[in-house]
Every structure is written in structure tokens, then in C-alpha cells.
Amino acid sequence: MPPTLTTAAPAVAAPFRARGPVSAAVLQHLVDGTATAHTALADAAVVASVDIERDDDLQLALFTLYASAYGSIEALRADLEWDPSLIATRRVIEDAFERSLRRSVVVLTLPEPTADAVARALFSLTGAEGGPSLSRFLARKATVDQAREFLVHRTVYTLREADPHSWAIPRLSGRPKAALVEIQSDEYGGGRPDRVHAALFARAVRGAGLDDVYGTYIDDVPAVTLASLNTMSMFGLNRRLLGAIVGHLAAFEMTSSIPNRLYSEGLRRLGYGDDVCEYFDEHVEADAVHEQIAGRDLAGALAEDRPDLLADIVFGAAACLEVDDRVGRHMLDAWSRGESSLRQVAGR
């Protein structure tokens, strides 16, 4: 039996609450250091879940386990990052989550594994007309309350912007590695701390009268929002899914420039100034450049170098579009009913 860890408990509590037995057991272990039966609970919950992609308990548990690897939540004990039982629980949930995504995400015919063919296929995929547009709604119709809800949903990823994709850097080489580093250098401000995109978004959050401390709004967002970040984290943290995280980033960059212009227009329509809109303005020009690099030099070059990853590159791109579209549909559906898109949590 391994020795009992004696590291002191953190001085702060987790900034969010459990949503069921699995997330409760994971939080208890990661915050208090008390070993619990979370792996057995996860096994049972996966079997019982009607839809793991929208399961609040399992998505929050997976988010918490990934947050331990990122170091994004102070309350989660650093000495437990590689605890074997926590890793086992993560594998149970993420394996089921990946299987579900591979069933629910439609992947079109694969292109030839050349940079040009892959880039053309990704531009075609990301340029296809989808359903109702969240960015157009924000630009033309959203209220101040709805715009603030939109920002709350975005805090889950954007206050940690670029981190999930950076896991791929040490796993790439040659052209794809150089392309990813070029993109990420911009994301991290090109050496200027005040230009780090996550810092620009934190400024936007503060300007809208919201809290920019990471994790503040986890209780408020539904499973579908957690699943969006969990998809990135799963692709990024698992070396076998290298193709998927590259495809995800390519689709992410290819669908960023125009929506961000519309988000900025909508926020200015509602009276917000540069402190809120600068983040979105920054992405209009930057991501117009990034989409070319991501499509050809990153995803396309990786497909040429590693044809065995082609299927996952396309899957990762399709998963990005589908999972993020679900978040947008959730917001629009709630607002069309005159409801909030956020969870109603007692005591908040």
C-alpha cells in the first residue's frame, strides 16, 4: 500500500460545488486528500448516463480532473495530479466521452493527406452554413443581460485561452511544430503580458462588471459548456489524440474572425467600450492570419508528415464545430423561451 500523503490541505475551498456523486467524490479527494470510491462511482455513472456529453455530474468531474493538470484551480492539491486512482477515474470518464463524441460527430469523406487538400477540406467544413448564429444574434438583438451571460459561458475556456492546444507543442516536430508555436506566440501576447489573449479577455470581463477570477462561474454554466473545454482538454492531454487537437485548433481559428467582429459590434451596440471590445477586435485580424497557418502549415503539414493522423485531424475539426455549436444553440434556445441560459443554483 502506498504511503499516506501528508501535504497540508489548501487554504481555500473549491470555487464550485459538486453536481452528483462522482464530482463530489473527485472534489473531496482533490481538495481534502481523502481517498474515495470515485472510480467505481464513475463506472456506474457512465453505464447509467443517458447522454454523457450533457451529463452535469460526469462533465464536472472530468473538468475537475483536467483542472488538476492545468493547475487552474488553487484548491486542487498539486501532489495529487498523478494519483493513480484519480487517473483511473479520468480514464473511465474520458474514454466514454470520446466514444460518445465519435458516435455523435459527423465526419465527412477524408481528403488526400496533402497540405493543400487538407486545408481545402477544412475551409469547406468550417465554411458550411450552420443553424442560427449566436454571433449574429449578439450583434443585432442581444440584451445587456444576454451579453453578460455570453461572457460568463466564455470564461470557462477564454480565461485560460490557448492552454489546451499548447499540450501539442512537444509532440510535434518540423513544419507543424513551427506553425503551432507561431500561432500560440500570438495567443500569449508575443512576449507582452498585457497582450496575452486571456488577459485581454479578463479585462473584458471586468469591464462588463463580472468577476475575472478563474472558476467563479463554473456553478453557473451547464454541462454543454463544460463539455466544450473538456473536448479540448481530452484531445490535448492525450498524446494518442494529437491529430484531434491539431484539427480542433484549425477549425477553432477558421471560425473565429467573423464571429468576433460580430461580437464586438454587438457589445458596442449595447454601450460597452474598448475595455470590453478590445479582446474581440484583436481576434478579427489575428485569426484571419491564424486560419491560414492552422489550415495549411499546421493541420495540412501534419497530415503530410503523419498520414495515419488524417482521420483524427478531420474528426477534431468536426468535433470543435459540433461541440461549440451546441453551446451556442443552448444559449439561443434558452433566450428564445425568455429564460436564462445559466444554471439556477440555490444560494447564489
Side-chain angles (χ1 to χ4, degrees):
M1 176 175 289
T4 302
L5 296 170
T6 58
T7 301
V12 295
F16 52 87
R17 308 175 191 179
R19 302 186 189 181
V22 184
S23 54
V26 167
L27 273 169
Q28 184 179 0
H29 194 170
L30 273 170
V31 174
D32 298 335
T34 304
T36 58
H38 41 73
T39 305
L41 290 169
D43 276 320
V46 162
V47 172
S49 182
V50 175
D51 182 356
I52 190 172
E53 297 174 41
R54 293 175 173 81
D55 189 304
D56 271 302
D57 187 27
L58 289 172
Q59 288 297 330
L60 181 64
L62 190 56
F63 168 84
T64 306
L65 290 161
Y66 288 148
S68 175
Y70 285 109
S72 54
I73 304 293
E74 182 182 354
L76 306 182
R77 286 175 45 162
D79 59 327
L80 294 175
E81 177 186 355
W82 292 101
D83 178 89
S85 68
L86 288 165
I87 296 297
T89 298
R90 193 184 101 184
R91 288 298 306 271
V92 167
I93 303 171
E94 72 181 4
D95 286 354
F97 184 36
E98 182 187 349
R99 289 194 302 271
S100 181
L101 282 175
R102 290 190 182 275
R103 288 193 301 266
S104 65
V105 172
V106 177
V107 177
L108 303 180
T109 303
L110 298 182
E112 291 296 313
T114 67
D116 285 345
V118 169
R120 286 196 303 272
L122 292 177
F123 276 111
S124 177
L125 176 66
T126 56
E129 285 293 328
S133 168
L134 176 65
S135 58
R136 285 195 295 270
F137 183 88
L138 261 290
R140 301 169 185 169
K141 299 180 179 180
T143 65
V144 169
D145 286 344
Q146 289 166 345
R148 283 165 57 89
E149 286 189 14
F150 162 73
L151 292 172
V152 166
H153 283 277
R154 291 288 292 262
T155 61
V156 176
Y157 163 68
T158 314
L159 287 174
R160 301 289 306 188
E161 182 164 353
D163 290 350
H165 299 107
S166 291
W167 294 110
I169 292 174
R171 297 164 182 172
L172 294 169
S173 61
R175 295 174 299 166
K177 185 167 192 163
L180 180 55
V181 170
E182 182 176 359
I183 293 170
Q184 298 302 81
S185 177
D186 283 347
E187 298 289 341
Y188 293 127
R192 295 175 56 190
D194 60 312
R195 303 306 299 172
V196 172
H197 288 182
L200 291 177
F201 186 72
R203 184 183 177 207
V205 167
R206 293 192 301 272
L210 298 168
D211 193 327
D212 69 344
V213 175
Y214 189 76
T216 297
Y217 297 110
I218 297 302
D219 276 341
D220 300 287
V221 300
V224 69
T225 302
L226 297 177
S228 177
L229 177 57
N230 285 344
T231 298
M232 295 187 225
S233 298
M234 177 173 67
F235 291 168
L237 279 162
N238 286 281
R239 183 163 59 93
R240 63 186 176 79
L241 294 174
L242 175 61
I245 192 61
V246 165
H248 187 287
L249 177 59
F252 199 81
E253 297 293 342
M254 290 175 174
T255 54
S256 175
S257 183
I258 293 174
N260 276 297
R261 175 177 58 79
L262 293 171
Y263 293 140
S264 181
E265 289 178 4
L267 291 165
R268 283 196 163 87
R269 174 182 62 82
L270 293 168
Y272 291 110
D274 288 344
D275 57 340
V276 174
C277 298
E278 184 181 22
Y279 166 84
F280 301 96
D281 294 338
E282 169 74 13
H283 285 72
V284 174
E285 182 175 348
D287 290 348
V289 176
H290 289 175
E291 68 179 20
Q292 299 294 330
I293 300 170
R296 290 180 172 81
D297 302 327
L298 175 57
L302 181 62
E304 283 190 351
D305 294 349
R306 294 281 307 275
D308 58 304
L309 298 181
L310 176 62
D312 266 1
I313 292 171
V314 178
F315 165 64
C320 172
L321 299 179
E322 173 60 27
V323 173
D324 286 355
D325 190 50
R326 292 173 190 170
V327 182
R329 290 200 304 266
H330 167 80
M331 283 187 259
L332 291 173
D333 287 348
W335 296 338
S336 72
R337 298 190 300 268
E339 300 172 0
S340 171
S341 64
L342 302 177
R343 299 174 70 238
Q344 304 305 304
V345 182
R348 283 180 65 88

